[in-house]
Structures are given as structure tokens and as C-alpha cells.
Amino acid sequence: MKTNMEDIDKLIKETLTEEETKFYDSLEEQNIFKMVGGLYKGKNVWLMIWMHIVNIIAFGFMIYCLIQTFDEENINNLMLWIAGFFFCFIIVSMLKIFAWMQIHKNATLREMKRLELQISSLSAKIKE
């Protein structure tokens, strides 16, 4: 399977111009660190930074609530600290899920751009 993909990539690169080949190479699969770095590019950088700040604050408060549950003797207050812990846990979880969804969206867009480039190169080859 890998040789077929390499052959297809070679055929595509043969039909592309030098500029298009560089663009095609930049669209290849990324490792996890490049994907996370991709969150901080584009129009919504401010949103991602704000969300990570809120995530750190919620995580800190979650740890604080957990520590307070061990020191509490009153059952009513214990339940409030546990509720605070779970509320912060939900906030942290939802923000992480949103970040992973953005990573997935960026990967899907990158694949769509690769497909568009492949279609345009094949259509140019057919016209010749």
C-alpha cells in the first residue's frame, strides 16, 4: 500500500510546477506537535490563547476544590466542594475537546487542499 501511495505522489509531483510542488509538500501529514502549533495560526489565535488561560485557571481551581474536600468535615460543604471539582472538571474537559476538534478540522482542511491540488493537476494533465 505504501508503494502505491509513493507512486501516486511521484505522479502528482511530476505534473505540478515547482511552486505547486512546494505547496503540496507543505500539506503532508503532521506530527502532534505541529498540529498543536497549528492551533495558534490563523484568525482565532486570540480565542485559543484565551481558552488555554481559562483552562489553566479551571484546572487550578479543580485541584483547590479537591484539596478542600479532604479537609472538610461538614457534609454540606463537602458536597459543594465536590460539585465545584466536577464543574471545573467539565470545563477542562470541554475546552480540551474543543481544541482537539480544531486540530481535526485543520487536518481535514489540509486534506481537502491536497485533493483540490491533485484534481487541478490531473485536470491540467487531461487538457494536454
Side-chain angles (χ1 to χ4, degrees):
M1 180 72 183
K2 193 171 188 177
T3 58
N4 291 339
M5 291 301 289
E6 290 173 358
D7 292 339
I8 291 171
D9 284 342
K10 286 179 185 177
L11 288 172
I12 290 169
K13 286 180 181 180
E14 288 173 2
T15 61
L16 298 175
T17 64
E18 185 177 327
E19 182 180 310
E20 290 172 336
T21 304
K22 288 180 185 177
F23 180 70
Y24 184 76
D25 289 337
S26 71
L27 293 176
E28 63 186 22
E29 280 193 50
Q30 297 178 335
N31 61 19
I32 190 68
F33 298 112
K34 288 182 182 178
M35 288 182 186
V36 171
L39 289 174
Y40 299 103
K41 296 177 183 167
K43 296 178 184 176
N44 292 328
V45 169
W46 63 272
L47 179 65
M48 293 308 296
I49 292 172
W50 185 80
M51 285 179 50
H52 283 294
I53 291 170
V54 169
N55 201 0
I56 290 169
I57 292 169
F59 183 74
F61 190 66
M62 181 177 72
I63 298 299
Y64 179 74
C65 288
L66 182 65
I67 292 170
Q68 292 300 314
T69 59
F70 295 124
D71 293 335
E72 193 62 51
E73 294 180 8
N74 186 356
I75 297 297
N76 291 335
N77 291 337
L78 178 67
M79 291 177 67
L80 289 175
W81 285 115
I82 291 173
F85 172 81
F86 282 117
F87 180 72
C88 291
F89 183 78
I90 289 171
I91 290 173
V92 169
S93 299
M94 290 298 133
L95 292 175
K96 295 286 184 191
I97 289 171
F98 180 78
W100 284 106
M101 287 173 57
Q102 292 300 311
I103 288 173
H104 180 70
K105 180 192 77 159
N106 290 342
T108 304
L109 286 174
R110 192 171 40 258
E111 288 300 317
M112 287 176 59
K113 288 179 182 180
R114 283 184 68 174
L115 285 173
E116 288 174 350
L117 190 60
Q118 289 174 357
I119 289 171
S120 69
S121 70
L122 289 175
S123 67
K125 192 172 184 178
I126 290 172
K127 287 180 183 178
E128 292 175 358

